[in-house]
Structures are given as C-alpha cells and as structure tokens.
C-alpha cells in the first residue's frame, strides 16, 4: 500500500482516506544470515535485501468490489519453478487491516507521500490453498510431520507472484525472480 501524507497520531478510521495505491511486494529474507545478525543485535540489515515490487500499482477504487476499505479480498498466486505453491486469499486472515497498519506506523512519525507499507506474509486458515512463504510452509510441515520437507530456494529457482481477478486478469502484473549467485 502506498500513502499520501499521513499525520502523526492518525486513527485507523482516518487512515482509510490516505491510501492511494496498492501493489504486490516480494519481501525476500536470506534465512542463513538472519540468526547471526540478530544474535549481534544488528537486526535485519544484510539478511533483508531490496524488495521487489509489482510493475503496476492500482488505486483502491479500481479494486472494487474486492477492496472493502480495510483488506483486499483476492487470492495471491505464488508459483515456484512454474508450479503453483499457494493461492491464499489476501483478505481472509490478515491480522491487522491496512488502516490499522498505517495508524500504527504513524504513532511516532509523519508518513510522507509515497510511503510504502506492507501487510506481511499472506496466509489464511484454509491450508488447502497453500502458502505464500516457504518458511511458513516448512513450519506447518514441522508441526504436522515433525520435520520440514519443502526445501529453501536454490540457485536457478524461479518465483512468480501475481494476483488475478475472477476473470483471470492479472491486476498488478507479475513479480518474477530467479535466484542467482552473486
């Protein structure tokens, strides 16, 4: 979600009118670097490389009737090496709404025009729809089977992320990335 200028201390109800655009994001984590960074108190610096965004941003009114003013109710499609990995509905199990996220972010600072806020991993209770996060899927496998069976991505793997409406139109365009060695 992209905002216009948002004043510090805004409420979730007031925040709704500051949402200007939506796009998809692939928020990559380099899992092998995270434990070492966190143990030293650095936080996510090297373990969170630049995120990738969809090529198209869409206004809230263009998402009607799927945008209810708080959540976007459409499936997020993730393909790993051309195979469907997950298609959870983005609006079903979003813990905090976009206006709530914006109000929380603006508790201690003004958000300038163009601020990008992400919702976090798209997940839902209907596990038959798959996952949008390999770590989430591995955790669910560990709970169900005692150990993960889904591997992390390797060099050469390709991830594609997109969201389609009920007519099959790709709303935001696709994010497609290949894992390459440095």
């Amino acid at each position: 979600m992209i905002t216009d200028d948002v004043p510090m201390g805004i409420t979730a109800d007031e925040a709704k009118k500051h949402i200007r655009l939506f796009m998809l994001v692939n928020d990559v984590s380099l899992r092998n670097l995270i434990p070492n960074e966190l143990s030293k108190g650095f936080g996510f610096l090297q373990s969170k490389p630049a995120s990738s965004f969809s090529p198209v941003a869409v206004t809230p009114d263009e998402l009607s009737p799927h945008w209810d003013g708080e959540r976007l109710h459409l499936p997020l499609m993730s393909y790993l090496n051309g195979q469907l990995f997950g298609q959870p509905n983005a609006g079903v199990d979003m813990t905090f709404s976009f206006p709530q996220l914006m109000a929380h972010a603006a508790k201690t600072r003004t958000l300038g025009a163009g601020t990008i806020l992400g919702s976090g991993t798209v997940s839902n209770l209907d596990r038959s729809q798959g996952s949008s996060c390999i770590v989430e899927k591995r955790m669910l496998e560990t709970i169900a089977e005692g150990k993960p069976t889904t591997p992390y991505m390797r060099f050469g793997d390709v991830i594609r992320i997109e969201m389609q409406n009920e007519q099959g139109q790709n709303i935001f365009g696709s994010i497609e990335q290949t894992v390459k060695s440095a």
Side-chain angles (χ1 to χ4, degrees):
M1 169 193 57
I2 302 173
T3 71
D4 64 4
D5 285 320
V6 179
M8 185 170 66
I10 195 169
T11 68
D13 282 340
E14 296 166 333
K16 291 178 184 181
K17 67 181 179 189
H18 293 280
I19 298 171
R20 294 294 175 244
L21 295 168
F22 286 95
M23 61 187 173
L24 302 180
V25 60
N26 186 14
D27 176 22
V28 176
S29 297
L30 303 175
R31 299 288 171 185
N32 60 330
L33 299 180
I34 290 174
N36 195 32
E37 280 194 307
L38 292 180
S39 70
K40 293 181 174 134
F42 283 115
F44 297 106
L45 296 174
Q46 301 301 319
S47 57
K48 295 297 273 185
S51 296
S52 295
F53 298 101
S54 59
V56 177
V58 179
T59 62
D61 62 310
E62 292 176 289
L63 296 169
S64 183
H66 307 291
W67 169 244
D68 65 7
E70 296 192 358
R71 293 170 176 83
L72 180 56
H73 297 270
L74 283 169
L76 180 68
M77 315 292 287
S78 299
Y79 299 88
L80 181 57
N81 296 322
Q83 300 294 312
L84 182 65
F85 188 78
Q87 56 184 351
N89 188 305
V92 172
D93 199 35
M94 187 175 175
T95 303
F96 300 103
S97 71
F98 283 107
Q100 287 172 316
L101 292 168
M102 186 187 305
H104 183 73
K107 277 187 175 186
T108 59
R109 67 190 58 86
T110 297
L111 306 178
T115 296
I116 299 170
L117 295 175
S119 68
T121 299
V122 174
S123 172
N124 64 23
L125 295 175
D126 183 358
R127 299 295 180 210
S128 70
Q129 298 303 309
S131 300
S132 289
C133 175
I134 291 173
V135 170
E136 177 184 347
K137 184 167 183 175
R138 289 173 57 90
M139 181 219 36
L140 293 169
E141 291 168 344
T142 300
I143 292 168
E145 304 159 23
K147 64 178 182 169
T149 56
T150 299
Y152 288 114
M153 293 179 73
R154 299 180 181 112
F155 296 131
D157 284 347
V158 177
I159 185 73
R160 187 175 84 241
I161 302 168
E162 59 194 27
M163 185 174 277
Q164 298 176 358
N165 63 19
E166 56 277 344
Q167 290 82 32
Q169 296 167 319
N170 191 338
I171 298 168
F172 300 97
S174 300
I175 299 171
E176 187 165 320
Q177 298 170 284
T178 302
V179 179
K180 296 182 179 183
S181 77

